[in-house]
Amino acid sequence: MYLWKRLVRDPLRPGVGRRVGTTVVLLLAALVPLTLIGVRNGYFKWLSWPGYLWIAVMFYLLVTLAVMEIPRLLVDRLWVRDRKPAGKAAETKGADTTATAGTTASATTTAGTATSGTAAGGTTASETTSGEAAARETATGETATSRTATSGVPAAKDDGVSASAIATIEDTTGGTDEPDKGLERRLLLSRGAAIFAGLTAAGITGYGVKTATGMPQIDRFQMPMAKLPRSMDGTRLAVVSDIHIGPLTGVNHAQRIVQVINSVNADLVCVVGDLVDGSVAELGRFAAPLQDIQSRHGAFFVTGNHEYYSGAEEWIQEVDRLGIRPLRNERVAIEGLDLAGVNDLTGAQQGDAADYARALGDRDTARPVVLMAHQPVAARDAAPYGVDLQVSGHTHGGQMAPFNMLVKLQQPVVSGFGEVDGVPVYVTNGAGFWGPPVRVGAPPQVTVIELRVA
């Protein structure tokens, strides 16, 4: 209703244009549930791109129009509305009308006296009329020609109402054909705001599509560790999450990400969940490029919430087949470092819950441990086990600013480095997208964490 009001009702006059605009808004409103429910359940796949793009445009229309409300209100009060006090305007008009009425009455009385005198003196009617007209024009100081030139109204015939009275009425009423300036200004303001919001939303969405579907950026971070053996100083972890292979991505999406991962010559690759959005049968061919990941000590994987929406067991087997080792509440020793992984919190709903004691308990605490956990909030459960670093994803860095401000309400760290209950946590933005193929303020990335001896 808000979008309809600002984009249709306010800028369009009643008529065909407003009816067409209303119809378009209703159709676009129906597109949202068809996309979010139908497309995600395997129906109306051809609506994926237009549906998700409209959701992004709609989001930025709402944001832009909401931001413009205060400036719009100020312009409405300072420019659209007449700031002249109504009481003073009425008083001025009343005084002018009274003065004009008095002048007219005086002229009429004078004319009557002159007529009586003429009749008594034997003057003809035509002479009297001519004399009256001359007297009136002399008294008011204007001629028919001057009235026509200044007011644009032809000189009135003398039918007992003075020309000055007519001119005064026009001045006080503003003319019967003058448009309502306030209404026209409000219409202009509404149209300008609608056009600006539309262009802004379309521009931001276009930029976001280009960013989301482009090559992931390389994000670098150095992490000091007191327990790290000197032999492992400089160890590089390539952390990638939220690849979200799906119907909108195609095979090139995974190829681009693998290309970036291989370019950093990582010692370890950590894939921290939300790899896919669909079944193995549907998306297996799109995930095939992941088998080309190269690193010194291999690649490892933990589940995210979207694996449990897409058939977690099948994907765990498929990932293992592609040469990426799943860590299901377990850890492995890599030289002088322990690498542990826990299932996503969503797994508890399917009998595959995270088990921190199994993954982190009964270990040599003199060795540093890096924990792979999809959601940053998992650090609160991992804190009692002395984790030296947790790597996570899930947040997408907010994906579409200013949505990142809402993500902060659910996750303790949205993007980059933070600390949760004493646990150092690094959250990567993710290399893909979910829903709208749009990223604004949170570019896709592969994070390279270099471990350094503290």
Side-chain angles (χ1 to χ4, degrees):
M1 288 298 292
Y2 176 71
L3 288 181
W4 172 81
K5 180 179 185 301
R6 287 300 187 218
L7 300 179
V8 178
R9 196 195 73 173
D10 291 351
L12 298 177
R13 298 180 186 275
V16 176
R18 182 181 287 185
R19 288 195 294 270
V20 171
T22 300
T23 302
V24 171
V25 168
L26 291 174
L27 291 174
L28 291 174
L31 184 58
V32 175
L34 284 175
T35 301
L36 295 178
I37 300 174
V39 172
R40 290 185 63 190
N41 287 282
Y43 305 102
F44 315 114
K45 291 184 178 180
W46 56 275
L47 284 178
S48 297
W49 272 95
Y52 280 119
L53 283 177
W54 164 242
I55 290 173
V57 171
M58 180 181 67
F59 174 73
Y60 283 112
L61 278 172
L62 289 170
V63 171
T64 304
L65 288 168
V67 169
M68 290 172 62
E69 284 299 328
I70 293 179
R72 181 191 179 104
L73 179 62
L74 292 175
V75 173
D76 182 72
R77 290 187 176 276
L78 298 177
W79 181 62
V80 174
R81 300 183 186 182
D82 185 3
R83 290 179 294 168
K84 186 176 181 178
K88 291 184 178 180
E91 181 181 342
T92 302
K93 290 181 179 180
D96 290 345
T97 303
T98 303
T100 302
T103 303
T104 303
S106 175
T108 303
T109 304
T110 303
T113 304
T115 302
S116 299
T118 302
T123 307
T124 62
S126 61
E127 291 175 344
T128 302
T129 303
S130 177
E132 291 174 2
R136 281 199 300 273
E137 292 182 8
T138 302
T140 58
E142 64 179 352
T143 65
T145 302
S146 64
R147 288 197 301 271
T148 302
T150 55
S151 66
V153 180
K157 294 182 180 180
D158 189 353
D159 55 358
V161 179
S162 70
S164 60
I166 295 175
T168 303
I169 293 172
E170 291 175 353
D171 290 341
T172 56
T173 60
T176 57
D177 296 330
E178 186 178 349
D180 186 338
K181 290 183 179 179
L183 180 61
E184 291 298 323
R185 288 180 177 180
R186 184 169 286 110
L187 190 62
L188 179 62
L189 174 63
S190 298
R191 289 177 177 174
I195 292 172
F196 177 81
L199 292 175
T200 301
I204 293 175
T205 301
Y207 164 80
V209 170
K210 182 180 179 181
T211 302
T213 57
M215 192 73 76
Q217 299 178 3
I218 297 176
D219 172 45
R220 298 184 182 273
F221 178 74
Q222 287 191 348
M223 179 65 196
M225 279 188 177
K227 301 177 185 177
L228 188 70
R230 292 197 175 275
S231 61
M232 297 196 73
D233 187 37
T235 297
R236 293 184 303 276
L237 279 62
V239 182
V240 63
S241 76
D242 301 279
I243 295 175
H244 284 288
I245 296 170
L248 296 181
T249 59
V251 69
N252 292 335
H253 180 61
Q255 287 177 342
R256 285 194 301 269
I257 295 168
V258 170
Q259 181 180 346
V260 174
I261 292 173
N262 291 343
S263 72
V264 302
N265 298 316
D267 297 296
L268 285 169
V269 175
C270 303
V271 183
V272 287
D274 277 8
L275 177 65
V276 293
D277 280 309
S279 66
V280 173
E282 181 185 8
L283 303 175
R285 67 187 187 280
F286 295 160
L290 296 175
Q291 65 188 340
D292 297 326
I293 291 177
Q294 300 173 4
S295 67
R296 182 182 172 196
H297 295 294
F300 300 86
F301 169 77
V302 292
T303 56
N305 53 306
H306 280 254
E307 272 70 58
Y308 293 101
Y309 308 148
S310 306
E313 289 299 326
E314 285 188 342
W315 274 111
I316 289 170
Q317 295 175 19
E318 180 66 12
V319 166
D320 192 28
R321 187 186 72 80
L322 294 173
I324 304 174
R325 178 176 174 177
L327 294 178
R328 307 186 68 184
N329 298 323
E330 56 187 311
R331 71 178 181 270
V332 294
I334 300 174
E335 297 183 351
L337 174 73
D338 286 343
L339 179 67
V342 292
N343 299 340
D344 183 65
L345 303 177
T346 309
Q349 302 172 10
Q350 299 185 17
D352 196 29
D355 190 337
Y356 297 90
R358 180 182 171 189
L360 298 168
D362 193 26
R363 68 178 186 84
D364 182 1
T365 56
R367 291 168 57 89
V369 60
V370 174
L371 174 65
M372 296 170 56
H374 179 59
Q375 299 189 41
V377 72
R380 292 171 180 164
D381 294 321
Y385 298 94
V387 172
D388 296 283
L389 174 65
Q390 176 179 308
V391 291
S392 300
H394 184 63
T395 65
H396 296 210
Q399 185 166 326
M400 294 168 57
F403 188 72
N404 54 308
M405 292 187 289
L406 295 179
V407 177
K408 184 68 175 176
L409 299 177
Q410 187 201 31
Q411 297 293 333
V413 182
V414 176
S415 180
F417 183 76
E419 191 170 296
V420 181
D421 292 350
V423 177
V425 178
Y426 198 93
V427 179
T428 184
N429 284 351
F433 55 84
W434 181 80
V438 175
R439 275 186 173 269
V440 178
Q445 61 184 207
V446 171
T447 298
V448 179
I449 299 178
E450 186 177 5
L451 305 181
R452 305 307 303 262
V453 175

mmCIF file of all heavy atoms in Angstrom, residues 218-234:
data_model
loop_
_atom_site.group_PDB
_atom_site.id
_atom_site.type_symbol
_atom_site.label_atom_id
_atom_site.label_comp_id
_atom_site.label_asym_id
_atom_site.label_seq_id
_atom_site.Cartn_x
_atom_site.Cartn_y
_atom_site.Cartn_z
ATOM 1 N N ILE A 218 39.416 -11.000 -2.729
ATOM 2 C CA ILE A 218 40.263 -11.701 -1.759
ATOM 3 C C ILE A 218 40.405 -10.815 -0.525
ATOM 4 O O ILE A 218 40.883 -9.682 -0.605
ATOM 5 C CB ILE A 218 41.644 -12.025 -2.350
ATOM 6 C CG1 ILE A 218 41.489 -12.984 -3.534
ATOM 7 C CG2 ILE A 218 42.544 -12.643 -1.286
ATOM 8 C CD1 ILE A 218 42.802 -13.288 -4.244
ATOM 9 N N ASP A 219 39.953 -11.330 0.593
ATOM 10 C CA ASP A 219 39.992 -10.609 1.867
ATOM 11 C C ASP A 219 41.101 -11.225 2.719
ATOM 12 O O ASP A 219 41.099 -12.434 2.972
ATOM 13 C CB ASP A 219 38.627 -10.745 2.559
ATOM 14 C CG ASP A 219 38.633 -10.205 3.973
ATOM 15 O OD1 ASP A 219 39.180 -9.117 4.179
ATOM 16 O OD2 ASP A 219 38.091 -10.895 4.866
ATOM 17 N N ARG A 220 42.052 -10.429 3.150
ATOM 18 C CA ARG A 220 43.205 -10.955 3.893
ATOM 19 C C ARG A 220 43.191 -10.481 5.346
ATOM 20 O O ARG A 220 42.851 -9.334 5.639
ATOM 21 C CB ARG A 220 44.516 -10.537 3.215
ATOM 22 C CG ARG A 220 44.655 -11.088 1.785
ATOM 23 C CD ARG A 220 45.997 -10.739 1.182
ATOM 24 N NE ARG A 220 46.109 -11.225 -0.196
ATOM 25 C CZ ARG A 220 46.528 -12.444 -0.524
ATOM 26 N NH1 ARG A 220 46.884 -13.284 0.430
ATOM 27 N NH2 ARG A 220 46.604 -12.817 -1.797
ATOM 28 N N PHE A 221 43.601 -11.415 6.236
ATOM 29 C CA PHE A 221 43.614 -11.104 7.668
ATOM 30 C C PHE A 221 44.718 -11.915 8.331
ATOM 31 O O PHE A 221 44.909 -13.093 8.041
ATOM 32 C CB PHE A 221 42.256 -11.453 8.292
ATOM 33 C CG PHE A 221 42.174 -11.216 9.773
ATOM 34 C CD1 PHE A 221 42.088 -9.929 10.279
ATOM 35 C CD2 PHE A 221 42.202 -12.278 10.662
ATOM 36 C CE1 PHE A 221 42.016 -9.706 11.652
ATOM 37 C CE2 PHE A 221 42.126 -12.069 12.035
ATOM 38 C CZ PHE A 221 42.034 -10.771 12.527
ATOM 39 N N GLN A 222 45.459 -11.264 9.229
ATOM 40 C CA GLN A 222 46.491 -11.952 10.000
ATOM 41 C C GLN A 222 45.984 -12.217 11.408
ATOM 42 O O GLN A 222 45.476 -11.316 12.078
ATOM 43 C CB GLN A 222 47.781 -11.131 10.047
ATOM 44 C CG GLN A 222 48.544 -11.115 8.735
ATOM 45 C CD GLN A 222 49.935 -10.533 8.898
ATOM 46 O OE1 GLN A 222 50.267 -9.941 9.933
ATOM 47 N NE2 GLN A 222 50.775 -10.697 7.881
ATOM 48 N N MET A 223 46.144 -13.478 11.853
ATOM 49 C CA MET A 223 45.655 -13.881 13.166
ATOM 50 C C MET A 223 46.811 -14.373 14.029
ATOM 51 O O MET A 223 47.397 -15.440 13.770
ATOM 52 C CB MET A 223 44.612 -14.996 13.010
ATOM 53 C CG MET A 223 44.068 -15.498 14.328
ATOM 54 S SD MET A 223 43.126 -14.219 15.204
ATOM 55 C CE MET A 223 43.060 -14.917 16.852
ATOM 56 N N PRO A 224 47.192 -13.605 15.058
ATOM 57 C CA PRO A 224 48.262 -14.072 15.957
ATOM 58 C C PRO A 224 47.753 -15.179 16.888
ATOM 59 O O PRO A 224 46.634 -15.110 17.400
ATOM 60 C CB PRO A 224 48.626 -12.808 16.742
ATOM 61 C CG PRO A 224 47.390 -11.964 16.698
ATOM 62 C CD PRO A 224 46.710 -12.263 15.414
ATOM 63 N N MET A 225 48.579 -16.197 17.089
ATOM 64 C CA MET A 225 48.215 -17.311 17.970
ATOM 65 C C MET A 225 49.399 -17.632 18.878
ATOM 66 O O MET A 225 50.504 -17.927 18.390
ATOM 67 C CB MET A 225 47.846 -18.557 17.167
ATOM 68 C CG MET A 225 46.455 -18.566 16.620
ATOM 69 S SD MET A 225 46.060 -20.185 15.891
ATOM 70 C CE MET A 225 44.355 -19.907 15.420
ATOM 71 N N ALA A 226 49.157 -17.590 20.163
ATOM 72 C CA ALA A 226 50.237 -17.825 21.124
ATOM 73 C C ALA A 226 50.715 -19.270 21.096
ATOM 74 O O ALA A 226 51.917 -19.544 21.299
ATOM 75 C CB ALA A 226 49.759 -17.460 22.527
ATOM 76 N N LYS A 227 49.825 -20.204 20.823
ATOM 77 C CA LYS A 227 50.191 -21.621 20.863
ATOM 78 C C LYS A 227 50.737 -22.138 19.535
ATOM 79 O O LYS A 227 51.169 -23.281 19.451
ATOM 80 C CB LYS A 227 48.969 -22.460 21.246
ATOM 81 C CG LYS A 227 48.354 -22.125 22.579
ATOM 82 C CD LYS A 227 47.114 -22.983 22.801
ATOM 83 C CE LYS A 227 46.376 -22.603 24.064
ATOM 84 N NZ LYS A 227 45.112 -23.412 24.213
ATOM 85 N N LEU A 228 50.695 -21.334 18.496
ATOM 86 C CA LEU A 228 51.079 -21.808 17.171
ATOM 87 C C LEU A 228 52.574 -22.135 17.118
ATOM 88 O O LEU A 228 53.415 -21.300 17.474
ATOM 89 C CB LEU A 228 50.750 -20.740 16.137
ATOM 90 C CG LEU A 228 50.911 -21.150 14.667
ATOM 91 C CD1 LEU A 228 49.825 -22.149 14.272
ATOM 92 C CD2 LEU A 228 50.846 -19.919 13.762
ATOM 93 N N PRO A 229 52.944 -23.354 16.698
ATOM 94 C CA PRO A 229 54.368 -23.685 16.552
ATOM 95 C C PRO A 229 55.030 -22.803 15.497
ATOM 96 O O PRO A 229 54.392 -22.410 14.515
ATOM 97 C CB PRO A 229 54.340 -25.153 16.090
ATOM 98 C CG PRO A 229 52.980 -25.664 16.439
ATOM 99 C CD PRO A 229 52.074 -24.492 16.363
ATOM 100 N N ARG A 230 56.289 -22.519 15.700
ATOM 101 C CA ARG A 230 56.983 -21.666 14.753
ATOM 102 C C ARG A 230 57.063 -22.314 13.380
ATOM 103 O O ARG A 230 57.156 -21.625 12.371
ATOM 104 C CB ARG A 230 58.392 -21.343 15.282
ATOM 105 C CG ARG A 230 58.361 -20.451 16.512
ATOM 106 C CD ARG A 230 59.716 -19.813 16.773
ATOM 107 N NE ARG A 230 59.625 -18.868 17.875
ATOM 108 C CZ ARG A 230 59.257 -17.615 17.759
ATOM 109 N NH1 ARG A 230 58.920 -17.140 16.564
ATOM 110 N NH2 ARG A 230 59.205 -16.822 18.819
ATOM 111 N N SER A 231 57.005 -23.595 13.340
ATOM 112 C CA SER A 231 57.052 -24.280 12.056
ATOM 113 C C SER A 231 55.805 -24.014 11.216
ATOM 114 O O SER A 231 55.823 -24.227 9.995
ATOM 115 C CB SER A 231 57.210 -25.794 12.267
ATOM 116 O OG SER A 231 56.103 -26.310 12.996
ATOM 117 N N MET A 232 54.751 -23.563 11.866
ATOM 118 C CA MET A 232 53.503 -23.279 11.153
ATOM 119 C C MET A 232 53.235 -21.785 11.015
ATOM 120 O O MET A 232 52.150 -21.383 10.583
ATOM 121 C CB MET A 232 52.315 -23.946 11.866
ATOM 122 C CG MET A 232 52.400 -25.464 11.898
ATOM 123 S SD MET A 232 50.822 -26.218 12.314
ATOM 124 C CE MET A 232 49.895 -25.951 10.803
ATOM 125 N N ASP A 233 54.207 -20.991 11.372
ATOM 126 C CA ASP A 233 54.048 -19.539 11.233
ATOM 127 C C ASP A 233 53.847 -19.182 9.756
ATOM 128 O O ASP A 233 54.630 -19.602 8.891
ATOM 129 C CB ASP A 233 55.289 -18.832 11.774
ATOM 130 C CG ASP A 233 55.112 -17.311 11.805
ATOM 131 O OD1 ASP A 233 53.996 -16.852 12.102
ATOM 132 O OD2 ASP A 233 56.096 -16.600 11.502
ATOM 133 N N GLY A 234 52.797 -18.434 9.480
ATOM 134 C CA GLY A 234 52.500 -18.056 8.102
ATOM 135 C C GLY A 234 51.543 -19.005 7.392
ATOM 136 O O GLY A 234 51.298 -18.852 6.184
#
